[in-house]
Amino acid sequence: MQGQAAGHGMDHVLRVLRSARLIQAQAGGDLEVIELAALLHDVGDAKFHDGVERSAEFAREILSGLGASEKLIEHVAHIVDNISFRKGDRASALSLEGKIVQDADRLDALGAIGIVRTIEYGAAFGQPFYLPDADGVKTGIGHFHEKLFKLKDLLNTDAARQMAEQRESFMQSFLDQFMRECGLSI
């Protein structure tokens, strides 16, 4: 994952780990499970495996190879298999630990980091950030409205919701400024 340049590399994983620890300090939960799930949550992301989500499979392999207990392996695998935004209503219910990792992952899509990740992803996959007449073409600006501005309302913990407030506000200010600079009214 280290060389991955579409906003899902090790820098992302380490930020999710850091945020998960901050949320756990307020919300509780098993820190070992949270840390392992945060570290492994994108190891087999579908975006990089021909549309097939393989994080649970890879997490099982890695943790088994490290001698983890079956209970720990299955808890972490369940979390990484059910936290993605894309899974939506098809996701199984999450434990407290899963909710914390999901919140940490979603927080990393917001704020200044979220803006940079949106641009990185678009550049890696040939997606423009803005088109005056997008006409069904996926754009970075569209991504803000299709996903990012929905995330705050989907967060599970009070700690994450508090962290999201300022990040969402910053993104909105950025988009307002961007549109003004493009000569468009808001």
Side-chain angles (χ1 to χ4, degrees):
M1 293 179 71
Q2 195 160 355
Q4 207 275 40
H8 291 81
M10 276 307 294
D11 58 331
H12 163 66
V13 171
L14 294 174
R15 286 189 306 270
V16 170
L17 176 63
R18 182 178 134 313
S19 292
R21 286 173 174 158
L22 291 172
I23 297 167
Q24 186 274 342
Q26 292 183 44
D30 184 325
L31 185 59
E32 180 182 34
V33 171
I34 291 166
E35 289 178 334
L36 290 171
L39 287 168
L40 296 169
H41 80 281
D42 269 347
V43 73
D45 191 294
K47 287 185 272 314
F48 310 106
H49 294 280
D50 299 319
V52 178
E53 178 58 48
R54 300 187 64 194
S55 291
E57 171 192 344
F58 292 165
R60 283 185 183 99
E61 273 181 41
I62 291 166
L63 293 174
S64 179
L66 294 171
S69 73
E70 192 61 31
K71 182 179 177 185
L72 178 61
I73 291 169
E74 287 310 310
H75 195 172
V76 171
H78 181 269
I79 291 169
V80 302
D81 197 35
N82 287 286
I83 66 168
S84 75
F85 179 83
R86 141 182 87 259
K87 198 148 191 182
D89 294 338
R90 296 172 296 128
S92 296
L94 290 167
S95 62
L96 173 60
E97 293 81 6
K99 290 175 180 179
I100 288 169
V101 175
Q102 184 178 61
D103 282 1
D105 188 36
R106 289 177 173 178
L107 281 170
D108 205 55
L110 300 176
I113 297 292
I115 293 166
V116 170
R117 289 182 66 211
T118 298
I119 294 168
E120 283 180 337
Y121 182 86
F125 289 94
Q127 186 181 86
F129 185 72
Y130 169 73
L131 290 174
D133 187 16
D135 250 358
V137 174
K138 287 199 172 283
T139 65
I141 295 278
H143 183 66
F144 281 88
H145 300 288
E146 293 160 10
K147 177 181 178 182
L148 303 186
F149 284 125
K150 295 177 181 177
L151 292 177
K152 186 179 74 165
D153 292 334
L154 297 174
L155 294 172
N156 302 292
T157 63
D158 290 337
R161 282 188 287 274
Q162 289 171 359
M163 295 165 79
E165 287 290 332
Q166 190 275 333
R167 293 179 189 207
E168 186 178 87
S169 176
F170 180 83
M171 287 190 321
Q172 188 61 61
S173 295
F174 169 83
L175 285 181
D176 292 348
Q177 180 66 26
F178 182 87
M179 296 311 256
R180 278 192 297 275
E181 291 180 18
C182 288
L184 304 169
S185 63
I186 8 178

